Amino acid sequence: FFRPVIRELYLVRAWDGKGIIHPDKSPEYLRHLLAPLLSEYQQVSSVLLADSHGHEFMLLRKNSRWLNRVTKRDQWKNKVLWYEWSSGQPPVQRWQQSDYDPRTRPWYKGALKRYRANRVSSPAKPGRENIYWTKPYIFHTTRQPGLTASIAYDMGNGVKRVVGVDILLSEITRFTAALKLGTNGKVAVMTDDLKMIGLPRSRQSAGGAVHSELLKTPAQLKDPLIHDAFVAFTKARRKKPSYSGPFRFKSSAKVWIGEFRHFRLSPQHSLWIAAMAPEDDYIGGLWRLRIWIIVVTVLVMAIAIFRAFMLAKGYSRPIGILVKQSERISRGMLYEGEKIDSSITEVERLAEAHEKMRVALTSLLRLERDVQLARQIQQNTFPTDLPQLKGFELGAWSQPADETGGDTYDVISYVRCPEEGRVLITDQDPECAVLLMADATGHGIGPALSASEVRAMLRMAVRNGQDLATMARHINEQLCQDLHAGRFITCWLGVLDSSDFSLTSFSAGQAPLLYYSAADRQCRVIPADTYPLGITSELSVQIAPPLQLAPGDLFVVISDGILEAVNAANEQFGQQRVIDILQRHSQQSCSQILFELRQALLTFTGDVSATDDRTLVLIKRT
């Protein structure tokens, strides 16, 4: 029940870290991204995203309607903006006077407190302990009881951000009421202070009756079974404080078996899971069952001894043949061996499995050759010699995590042909160059095909003389048709112009981009312009003004396989190390800078294998 909640929380936090979402994005855009998550996980009623400026976006599912609350305390003061969507209807917008401030809510304050505590005790240790779980409380909007899981993090610019998801206690009850323990068993869930948040199926009611029974103690619930189980458990703990495990108790003239188990949500928050079932469900007719077991066991042993004696004669020869064939296969000789005929079913199946193994190994060797060929084809798509563009020096490097990778890069140099309305791709005295770096989700043959598709579409677009915005839109539209759900490609496109030494750049989810200015020896981090390609056909393509590169300036596009590379201590290589290398070696050539960065990465990771593809494109103004 809780694992999808944690996954959803970290997914939204990862999207925010990639720049895909933040509270100031348009409500329609955020609803488009987040509504599928709420539809997938019914136990989550709403998603909240807030920051330390008092900005908040909330998406709430309410039956067949969707509600958005947008809060900006530093701008709108005591006003909040509501949007309401109904099926097939345009959103209805309304303003409301409210003193609501997300920064005062328990889920926001608790997540920040947990974030600060973890920064002091274990700043480099991610995991479930970073999540803050509130105690059950009444939600501000729906006035229904529930609890909230939230996580806080720093956006790197001094702004603290908190992501939270709400869980209705009625959904926990829906979950526990559907559980069936044996024939007549029941399950309930309580908080650490023994208040009911998940009712058993005998207590499930319709409408408001469920809410009236939530957050009561076993005694207040007036359910004799839960009350008697709790009393029996308390007595067992009184005799032995460390007691855990099943216990017997009586309720309504019947003997039951129960167990109270601690379930830890986080180091500070736990729940109690109570399971109860009638003893008759498990041990009814026990003596009769024991007699039958003894009789059947004696008969089976007698038959087994006789059968084993008879079968031993038929096993020796075929087993010997299989042993010889196994020794031959272990030496790499995979030709078909002597056929084994046996009346024993087990021997026949073993021989069939042995032959399937031989055929599979043969196919595996062919597949290995195919994978090596795929790697060679992919490596051949990378430019062997980068073009010489007047006023610029270029460098690039890519290393897949598997035999083939999901990263690709390309440099396409050309001269303009205005009279023909197109461009001529050439490496001889080019005027401009289009650069690409793309990263498909995952690594292996599938992502490699997707990355190669982007490269092929880009080269066709350049030949047709398309501008940067048109290229991006057309590539995105095609990827939306080709990629499966959940797949996307981060992509950076750049156009170098030697006539004015400018770089026009567009990034779809590929971040960060690093721009080093030689004049002030500072490195500026540039975020992505929009979310990755292949997610939605309604891609916002807005090209920023070109960068005018001065002599000595550097522009670096780097994949997350380099930034997220870890060493034996699980520490990431990180963005700052890349920036330090650029500042120290900015006077050197592109090839020397690439060499220094690769050496630093190799020294940092040591013997730890790469888990993601690593790619880098470097531009230097000479």
Side-chain angles (χ1 to χ4, degrees), residues 161-343:
R161 188 88 34 90
V162 177
V163 173
V165 291
D166 288 337
I167 304 168
L168 292 173
L169 298 191
S170 58
E171 290 300 328
I172 300 180
T173 292
R174 189 192 305 276
F175 184 79
T176 55
L179 296 176
K180 190 174 183 181
L181 184 62
T183 304
N184 300 295
K186 303 171 184 179
V187 178
V189 180
M190 294 177 283
T191 61
D192 246 345
D193 53 357
L194 303 175
K195 292 183 179 179
M196 303 298 300
I197 63 172
L199 301 174
R201 53 193 173 116
S202 63
R203 304 297 297 176
Q204 186 188 25
S205 306
V210 171
H211 296 151
S212 66
E213 295 186 344
L214 291 170
L215 298 179
K216 290 184 177 180
T217 64
Q220 294 170 334
L221 192 63
K222 298 180 181 179
D223 186 315
L225 175 61
I226 296 178
H227 178 264
D228 294 340
F230 177 70
V231 171
F233 176 68
T234 303
K235 289 181 179 179
R237 296 274 286 198
R238 192 178 298 125
K239 294 178 181 178
K240 184 180 179 182
S242 61
Y243 178 83
S244 64
F247 57 89
R248 297 174 76 247
F249 67 98
K250 284 188 176 181
S251 180
S252 302
K254 294 177 66 175
V255 179
W256 293 71
I257 298 175
E259 181 174 357
F260 280 64
R261 182 172 296 180
H262 228 182
F263 175 72
R264 190 171 295 278
L265 279 175
S266 70
Q268 289 75 25
H269 291 81
S270 301
L271 301 176
W272 283 103
I273 301 177
M276 301 145 290
E279 192 175 55
D280 291 344
D281 282 5
Y282 297 100
I283 61 173
L286 180 60
W287 289 106
R288 190 165 54 251
L289 179 63
R290 287 178 176 174
I291 294 173
W292 277 108
I293 290 175
I294 292 173
V295 172
V296 172
T297 300
V298 172
L299 289 175
V300 168
M301 290 180 65
I303 295 173
I305 293 173
F306 176 76
R307 182 67 175 164
F309 177 78
M310 297 299 295
L311 293 180
K313 300 177 181 179
Y315 277 110
S316 302
R317 182 178 177 278
I319 293 297
I321 296 174
L322 289 175
V323 169
K324 291 181 181 179
Q325 290 184 0
S326 297
E327 293 175 349
R328 170 175 57 79
I329 291 174
S330 68
R331 295 193 296 270
M333 294 180 285
L334 301 179
Y335 56 84
E336 186 175 2
E338 179 182 353
K339 185 174 180 60
I340 297 176
D341 292 319
S342 175
S343 60

Side-chain angles (χ1 to χ4, degrees), residues 396-415:
W397 165 67
S398 183
Q399 176 185 349
D402 290 334
E403 295 296 334
T404 55
D407 285 6
T408 190
Y409 71 89
D410 200 1
V411 181
I412 311 167
S413 57
Y414 63 89
V415 295

Side-chain angles (χ1 to χ4, degrees), residues 553-566:
D553 286 359
L554 299 172
F555 191 89
V556 182
V557 187
I558 191 166
S559 73
D560 52 7
I562 296 176
L563 300 178
E564 296 174 2
V566 298

Side-chain angles (χ1 to χ4, degrees), residues 388-399:
Q388 302 295 319
L389 196 65
K390 179 183 177 182
F392 294 101
E393 183 183 1
L394 305 178
W397 165 67
S398 183
Q399 176 185 349

Side-chain angles (χ1 to χ4, degrees), residues 79-99:
K79 285 186 177 182
V80 295
L81 180 59
W82 285 93
Y83 292 89
E84 180 175 343
W85 280 269
S86 298
S87 178
Q89 299 295 324
V92 177
Q93 177 180 328
R94 60 184 172 87
W95 288 92
Q96 181 183 23
Q97 286 291 128
S98 174
D99 60 352

Side-chain angles (χ1 to χ4, degrees), residues 11 15 18 20 406 438-442 447 450-451 454 476 479-480 483-491 508-510 531-536 560:
L11 176 61
W15 281 358
K18 291 286 188 180
I20 298 175
D439 181 359
T441 51
S450 299
V454 172
N476 177 69
L479 290 176
C480 286
L483 295 180
H484 296 295
R487 292 283 184 175
F488 57 85
I489 296 179
T490 61
C491 177
Q510 183 63 52
Y531 44 82
L533 303 180
I535 295 179
T536 174
D560 52 7

